[in-house]
Amino acid sequence: MGIYVNPKNTAFRQARNSKIYVDKSGLISYTNQVLDTLQKNLCVSRPRRFGKSMAADMLAAYYSRGCQSGHLFDGLEVEKDESFNSHLNRHNVIRLDIQQFLFNETHLDIFIGKLQEVVINELRLEFGNCFHVDQYGLPGVLRQIYAGTEQGFIFIIDEWDCVFRVAKERRDIQKEYLDFLRGLFKGADYVELAYMTGILPIKKYGEHSAVNIFDEYSMVDSKNLGAYFGFTEEEVRTLCKKHNMNYSEMQSWYDGYSLGNLHIYNPKSVADALLWREFQSYWTGTETYEALKIYIDMNFDGLKEAVIEMLAGRGCKINTRHFQNDMTTFNTRDDVMTLLVHLGYLTYDQKLSRAFIPNQEIAQEFLNAADGSGWDGVIQSLNRSQELLESTWDLDGDSVAAGLAAIHSQTSSILKYNDENSLACAILMAYYSAKAYYMNPVMELPSGKGFADVVCLPRRNTDKPALLVELKWNKSAKGAIEQIKERQYADWVKEYTGDILLVGINYDQEKGHQCVIETFVKE
């Protein structure tokens, strides 16, 4: 047993002993299925603090013949799998954390050689002098061991993409590293399973990946592993019940990552909220907002306008296919937004091909990043939203209209007020504070000029009225109210038993904003 070859199970044991632990051992059932098959190469990319290292530690503890880990899986899901005992601590494992070899940029030119050196030294302790080291380095040594012993290896590589984050501009080092990985894995009979995890998918050069044998599981396309990317709704409900925490509040703060049909929660933030019994930004506290601010301030291809729309609760359509899987190659706004999806600042709805700000924690991070030059009007608009929301509850249409006029003026340098879509965005910004009381707004924006509906339903355990907002362009606010009644838009919320407010808003280029608010009378 060694540090890198057939390691112990110390890290996974500590995870199991922790106060907050969620069973993700079902991942092992999947990796057992693909062992020694054409699907044996997996690259799983997800944001920092989303459980990447814990999953790697779990796999190493399960497969490594350098430890005895059966007791650590007592009562876990994988224990019921018929393949569980067949592979438990019966494989040679090479477990690497690339970040351990790259403390800073001074290690870039030597880390590949040092990595191979330490692994080869441990292989010699494990297998004796059955090999010699030649110009082919570690891949050559592994081929000799396999030829002489017929023993294969499971590779578990954490933070595989650290090179692309530390050496953003060093394309020579990036290429050398990818060539090393290709030589290590491609066509290698000694590979039983290769599980790599990081923030970014595998780097592309041109239209092709330099390491094209891996199946990619990412925040853009998690395939069938979405449940292992974070905490699921069911898992969070169970945790909240066990620790007597408010699930609705937890949902508001940390839900929102869309992976196929699943809604995934940020595990770091949920665990810290349960431990410290307070809802606040935990995940974003692990890295300063400057990392996000760099990309926002680029304002690449109208990125600021997209951020405002997403802060307002709307999604932006993006094309993720041309992203080059690095942190410097940006040809369009879509490339920057795709990077933000991989970093965890946005979530991506694969069915709609749209990106969203996932939750209150991340929205606050965007506000922190936007609080600077060129964004003053936006921040002022969002700051006044609580006052506008209270005016709505008070049925004070004149105050709401005045507030909207101010927001119109403050954001006109970024948003173009030429159609109802921009008006809808302004309305959502105006009601930004509603996120504390309401679920995400439901919107319907038909093609052509006319109207845009915004429906806000209160969260559980709140006594606020539902809001049904109808927008008009160059018509009348009273007409918007009449349309709500005539077309029975209140059917959207007919199951809601509390009060319902009808809000009619019109923008006329000559008269400005008008607003009429009425309480809906149920039959």
Side-chain angles (χ1 to χ4, degrees):
M1 65 186 72
I3 298 174
Y4 309 104
V5 178
N6 294 333
K8 297 179 181 180
N9 56 25
T10 305
F12 183 58
R13 185 185 72 241
Q14 292 175 352
R16 287 287 279 128
N17 290 338
S18 298
K19 184 176 181 180
I20 308 296
Y21 175 79
V22 173
D23 181 6
K24 295 294 181 179
S25 65
L27 175 63
I28 296 173
S29 298
Y30 180 76
T31 55
N32 281 350
Q33 292 175 31
V34 300
L35 274 172
D36 208 23
T37 70
L38 295 177
Q39 290 75 46
K40 65 184 179 181
N41 300 299
L42 295 75
C43 183
V44 180
S45 57
R46 45 188 149 161
R48 59 190 166 82
R49 309 306 296 272
F50 262 64
K52 297 188 296 295
S53 296
M54 196 285 286
D57 293 335
M58 177 183 69
L59 292 174
Y62 173 74
Y63 287 116
S64 173
R65 61 175 48 178
C67 54
Q68 296 297 318
S69 303
H71 64 288
L72 294 178
F73 292 93
D74 287 347
L76 298 188
E77 178 186 348
V78 71
E79 192 181 31
K80 303 173 186 176
D81 193 296
E82 60 182 16
S83 70
F84 175 69
N85 288 313
S86 300
H87 301 287
L88 178 62
N89 301 130
R90 297 192 179 189
H91 293 264
N92 291 310
V93 170
I94 296 178
R95 164 76 160 94
L96 300 171
D97 183 340
I98 303 301
Q99 200 164 28
Q100 292 180 354
F101 297 91
L102 276 175
F103 301 153
N104 55 56
E105 292 186 19
T106 64
H107 300 140
L108 287 171
D109 294 300
I110 63 171
F111 86 97
I112 296 177
K114 287 295 183 182
L115 181 156
Q116 295 185 85
E117 179 183 325
V118 297
V119 174
I120 290 172
N121 287 342
E122 289 196 5
L123 288 171
R124 196 173 297 282
L125 293 174
E126 189 82 16
F127 294 95
N129 294 315
C130 67
F131 61 84
H132 67 277
V133 182
D134 57 21
Q135 69 270 26
Y136 295 106
L138 180 59
V141 167
L142 294 170
R143 282 194 291 269
Q144 293 172 56
I145 293 174
Y146 182 73
T149 66
E150 294 187 356
Q151 293 187 42
F153 294 83
I154 287 177
F155 294 82
I156 300 171
I157 301 180
D158 197 12
E159 301 287 356
W160 88 270
D161 61 333
C162 178
V163 178
F164 299 93
R165 290 180 273 128
V166 175
K168 293 179 182 179
E169 307 293 341
R170 290 288 303 275
R171 293 179 65 87
D172 58 328
I173 297 296
Q174 295 175 15
K175 188 73 164 57
E176 181 183 355
Y177 176 58
L178 289 173
D179 288 341
F180 166 69
L181 292 179
R182 183 173 59 232
L184 186 62
F185 294 126
K186 195 161 187 176
D189 292 336
Y190 53 75
V191 177
E192 296 177 335
L193 175 74
Y195 180 92
M196 297 202 310
T197 184
I199 293 176
L200 297 174
I202 293 174
K203 166 68 182 169
K204 299 176 182 177
Y205 279 103
E207 293 297 319
H208 304 285
S209 170
V211 188
N212 58 9
I213 60 173
F214 280 80
D215 291 324
E216 298 269 14
Y217 303 79
S218 72
M219 298 298 284
V220 169
D221 183 6
S222 62
K223 298 182 174 66
N224 55 336
L225 298 185
Y228 309 112
F229 276 66
F231 291 171
T232 65
E233 289 180 284
E234 181 180 353
E235 290 165 346
V236 175
R237 285 183 185 276
T238 300
L239 287 170
C240 286
K241 185 175 181 180
K242 178 181 178 180
H243 294 271
N244 193 29
M245 291 284 282
N246 185 292
Y247 172 75
S248 294
E249 192 75 4
M250 190 77 76
Q251 183 182 40
S252 169
W253 270 94
Y254 311 120
D255 184 18
Y257 291 95
S258 176
L259 294 175
N261 295 322
L262 295 173
H263 274 259
I264 296 297
Y265 287 66
N266 183 324
K268 160 69 176 173
S269 298
V270 170
D272 280 359
L274 293 170
L275 282 171
W276 311 121
R277 308 197 63 78
E278 184 176 353
F279 297 107
Q280 57 173 281
S281 295
Y282 292 106
W283 176 74
T284 54
T286 64
E287 182 174 304
T288 59
Y289 74 89
E290 281 84 359
L292 174 61
K293 186 176 180 64
I294 289 171
Y295 297 107
I296 292 181
D297 285 349
M298 285 181 180
N299 197 24
F300 202 99
D301 196 22
L303 180 62
K304 280 189 176 181
E305 185 173 349
V307 169
I308 290 175
E309 290 193 40
M310 290 187 293
L311 279 171
R314 302 176 67 184
C316 288
K317 196 170 186 67
I318 65 171
N319 182 343
T320 64
R321 293 191 298 274
H322 300 298
F323 179 58
Q324 293 299 301
N325 298 343
D326 65 24
M327 305 183 79
T328 57
T329 307
F330 305 122
N331 296 311
T332 66
R333 180 187 74 175
D334 290 355
D335 293 336
V336 180
M337 294 179 68
T338 303
L339 173 61
L340 295 179
V341 171
H342 289 298
L343 294 177
Y345 290 110
L346 297 176
T347 186
Y348 178 69
D349 189 312
Q350 194 172 9
K351 293 180 181 178
L352 300 176
S353 298
R354 299 181 78 85
F356 299 84
I357 293 175
N359 52 47
Q360 187 173 338
E361 180 180 40
I362 303 301
Q364 185 59 52
E365 190 77 351
F366 271 92
L367 290 178
N368 290 339
D371 191 5
S373 177
W375 291 83
D376 293 346
V378 174
I379 300 301
Q380 292 170 13
S381 298
L382 297 178
N383 287 341
R384 70 166 64 234
S385 65
Q386 180 67 31
E387 179 182 343
L388 189 143
L389 183 61
E390 292 174 0
S391 294
T392 303
W393 294 334
D394 292 338
L395 308 184
D396 187 350
D398 290 339
S399 293
V400 171
L404 287 174
I407 290 173
H408 181 157
S409 174
Q410 289 164 347
T411 60
S412 59
S413 62
I414 298 176
L415 291 176
K416 310 295 190 295
Y417 282 82
N418 296 320
D419 56 28
E420 72 282 357
N421 287 355
S422 295
L423 179 59
C425 184
I427 297 303
L428 289 170
M429 286 182 62
Y431 286 115
Y432 181 80
S433 291
K435 296 183 181 199
Y437 312 95
Y438 295 87
M439 295 181 287
N440 289 335
V442 179
M443 300 193 63
E444 183 182 19
L445 295 172
S447 59
K449 292 185 177 180
F451 63 87
D453 293 322
V454 181
V455 179
C456 297
L457 292 177
R459 296 184 181 277
R460 292 180 181 178
N461 303 320
T462 65
D463 59 354
K464 304 305 180 184
L467 303 180
L468 207 166
V469 184
E470 181 70 15
L471 309 180
K472 287 292 184 182
W473 190 259
N474 289 331
K475 293 187 179 178
S476 74
K478 189 64 177 177
I481 293 287
E482 295 304 317
Q483 182 169 311
I484 293 174
K485 296 175 181 178
E486 292 172 3
R487 299 190 182 181
Q488 299 180 327
Y489 290 156
D491 285 348
W492 282 58
V493 291
K494 63 183 178 181
E495 300 299 325
Y496 178 64
T497 57
D499 292 337
I500 301 173
L501 297 185
L502 310 183
V503 183
I505 295 172
N506 179 66
Y507 175 69
D508 186 301
Q509 289 178 310
E510 294 184 1
K511 299 179 181 179
H513 297 81
Q514 305 92 43
C515 178
V516 175
I517 306 171
E518 295 183 4
T519 300
F520 178 70
V521 180
K522 300 179 183 179
E523 294 181 359

